[in-house]
């Protein structure tokens, strides 16, 4: 028998978003953990100026797959996905349409409502009378530009902060409660004739140690938050409800491969979806890898499933 040919994978990382450095860490984790018995992984850093180290047109010739380890605008908003689609290059994660929808918090919220999910009530930023309220850019990730506004006096600065990141902003009622996040993963069939299944991973509770919410600092500063997978002191029925919500959100925008949905549960046990991430972080300490380990998948197997979903 001829040995199986290894897949040539270009791991795309970096890019012009505010999450450039985080993306480099995600990309390094992917390169490190892709199974060398199956894959030849090549890191490909796209500059902060958007310049590629090679002409994108060469990907089709030199690689079998692009693994997108990019976050924020350009990498997660459908831009790079549309480019790869136009070049005929297979890639991991959601297609351009689903990526655009997932990044657009206004459009995604409508899709989630249509699917029966609870969303924090939205407000007109120019007519806010009740506080606290959350002000955030409509199309950024990693909580960049997000503020929790407690008084009318704080509102102009929060709006200005959000508009530094995007001309489009979202205002929502602040929901106080326990914060959770839950990954969804397409699991490769065990045989060539089998069918893939999409599963919700064990959810994670975010226990904050200083921040009011899971902001950029809490996400990426060591020991700024405790991430508990699976959550402690949470009834199994609520864990199942969080997982159902994550699956529903994934399907509502027609996500592919992997996603992660952030939620909050109020004091009455009502679960609100905050947003979906179609390219969740893949650093050594990121949430989806943590949840995958709790599910029984070490990093190499997590990445293998993401690659196999793309190749299907």
């Amino acid at each position: 028998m001829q040995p199986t040919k290894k897949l040539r994978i270009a791991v795309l990382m970096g890019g012009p978003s505010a999450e450039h450095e985080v993306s480099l860490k995600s990309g390094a984790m992917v390169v490190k953990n892709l199974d060398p018995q199956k894959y030849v992984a090549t890191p490909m850093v796209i500059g902060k100026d958007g310049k590629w180290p090679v002409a994108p047109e060469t990907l089709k010739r030199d690689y079998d797959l692009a693994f997108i380890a990019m976050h924020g605008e350009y990498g997660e908003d459908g831009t790079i996905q549309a480019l790869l689609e136009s070049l005929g290059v297979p890639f991991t994660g959601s297609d351009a349409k689903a990526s655009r929808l997932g990044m657009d918090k206004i459009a995604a919220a409508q899709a989630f409502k249509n699917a029966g999910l609870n969303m924090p009530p939205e407000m007109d930023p120019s007519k806010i009378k009740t506080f606290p309220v959350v002000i955030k850019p409509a199309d950024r990730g990693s909580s960049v530009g997000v503020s929790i506004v407690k008084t009318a006096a704080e509102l102009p600065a929060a709006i200005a902060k959000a508009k530094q990141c995007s001309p489009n902003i979202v205002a929502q009622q602040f929901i106080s409660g326990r914060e959770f996040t839950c990954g969804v993963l397409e699991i490769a069939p065990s045989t060539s004739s089998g069918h893939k299944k999409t599963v919700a991973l064990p959810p994670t509770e975010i226990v904050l140690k200083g921040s009011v919410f899971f902001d950029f600092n809490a996400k990426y500063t060591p020991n700024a938050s405790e991430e508990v997978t699976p959550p402690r002191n949470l009834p199994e029925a609520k864990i199942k409800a969080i997982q159902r919500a994550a699956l529903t959100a994934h399907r509502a925008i027609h996500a592919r491969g992997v996603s992660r949905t952030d939620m909050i549960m109020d004091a009455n046990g009502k679960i609100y979806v905050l947003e979906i991430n179609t390219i969740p972080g893949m650093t050594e300490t990121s949430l989806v890898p943590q949840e995958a380990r709790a599910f029984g998948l070490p990093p190499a197997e997590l990445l293998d499933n993401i690659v196999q979903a793309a190749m299907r």
Side-chain angles (χ1 to χ4, degrees):
M1 292 179 62
Q2 292 290 327
T4 303
K5 181 182 176 183
K6 294 181 182 180
L7 282 179
R8 301 165 300 167
I9 298 181
V11 182
L12 308 183
M13 63 187 87
S17 85
E19 299 171 70
H20 179 96
E21 302 301 331
V22 175
S23 170
L24 295 182
K25 293 180 180 179
S26 285
M29 180 275 199
V30 172
V31 171
K32 176 183 175 182
N33 288 285
L34 279 170
D35 186 347
Q37 300 300 314
K38 295 182 178 181
Y39 311 114
V40 178
T42 301
M44 193 166 292
V45 178
I46 297 169
K48 291 183 179 180
D49 57 2
K51 291 183 179 179
W52 287 58
V54 301
E57 293 76 14
T58 65
L59 292 182
K60 178 75 171 177
R61 179 193 69 202
D62 296 334
Y63 298 95
D64 302 302
L65 179 76
F67 194 113
I68 304 177
M70 303 175 70
H71 310 303
E73 63 273 24
Y74 185 80
E76 197 171 355
D77 63 3
T79 301
I80 199 168
Q81 290 81 3
L83 172 62
L84 295 173
E85 286 173 358
S86 72
L87 297 173
V89 178
F91 56 90
T92 57
S94 297
D95 64 15
K97 183 177 180 181
S99 298
R100 283 192 293 268
L101 179 55
M103 181 61 80
D104 184 339
K105 293 179 174 61
I106 297 172
Q110 189 58 56
F112 297 151
K113 290 176 189 174
N114 292 344
L117 294 169
N118 301 313
M119 298 292 297
E122 293 184 17
M123 304 176 178
D124 182 333
S126 65
K127 299 178 181 178
I128 295 173
K129 302 295 184 183
T130 57
F131 298 89
V133 64
V134 179
I135 303 293
K136 57 187 176 182
D139 50 9
R140 293 294 183 269
S142 284
S143 301
V144 173
V146 178
S147 301
I148 295 179
V149 180
K150 298 179 181 178
T151 67
E154 299 172 357
L155 190 57
I159 291 175
K161 177 182 175 181
K163 285 191 173 181
Q164 286 180 343
C165 303
S166 171
N168 303 310
I169 65 171
V170 175
Q172 294 176 323
Q173 178 184 325
F174 174 71
I175 306 295
S176 178
R178 296 171 69 177
E179 292 198 42
F180 301 94
T181 191
C182 186
V184 169
L185 180 68
E186 289 184 18
I187 301 292
S190 56
T191 64
S192 59
S193 60
H195 296 286
K196 74 175 177 71
K197 58 180 179 178
T198 304
V199 301
L201 299 172
T204 299
E205 180 171 10
I206 311 299
V207 182
L208 302 175
K209 295 184 177 180
S211 299
V212 179
F213 69 104
F214 198 38
D215 58 9
F216 190 92
N217 176 71
K219 287 177 178 176
Y220 299 117
T221 302
N223 303 315
S225 64
E226 183 183 8
E227 297 154 0
V228 185
T229 311
R232 294 187 291 253
N233 304 318
L234 190 66
E236 184 65 22
K238 288 298 181 186
I239 288 179
K240 296 290 187 187
I242 290 168
Q243 291 177 309
R244 284 195 301 272
L247 278 168
T248 300
H250 182 92
R251 290 166 176 156
I253 68 162
H254 303 287
R256 185 180 73 182
V258 65
S259 72
R260 198 195 79 234
T261 297
D262 299 335
M263 295 166 245
I264 196 159
M265 185 175 70
D266 70 12
N268 297 317
K270 187 174 181 178
I271 296 169
Y272 295 85
V273 167
L274 302 179
E275 61 183 64
I276 191 168
N277 303 270
T278 54
I279 305 183
M282 286 291 162
T283 72
E284 297 289 352
T285 58
S286 289
L287 295 161
V288 164
Q290 287 184 43
E291 294 176 357
R293 281 191 287 269
F295 188 70
L297 294 175
E301 291 184 34
L302 166 64
L303 298 177
D304 191 51
N305 278 288
I306 294 172
V307 168
Q308 294 305 315
M311 297 305 295
R312 286 195 298 275

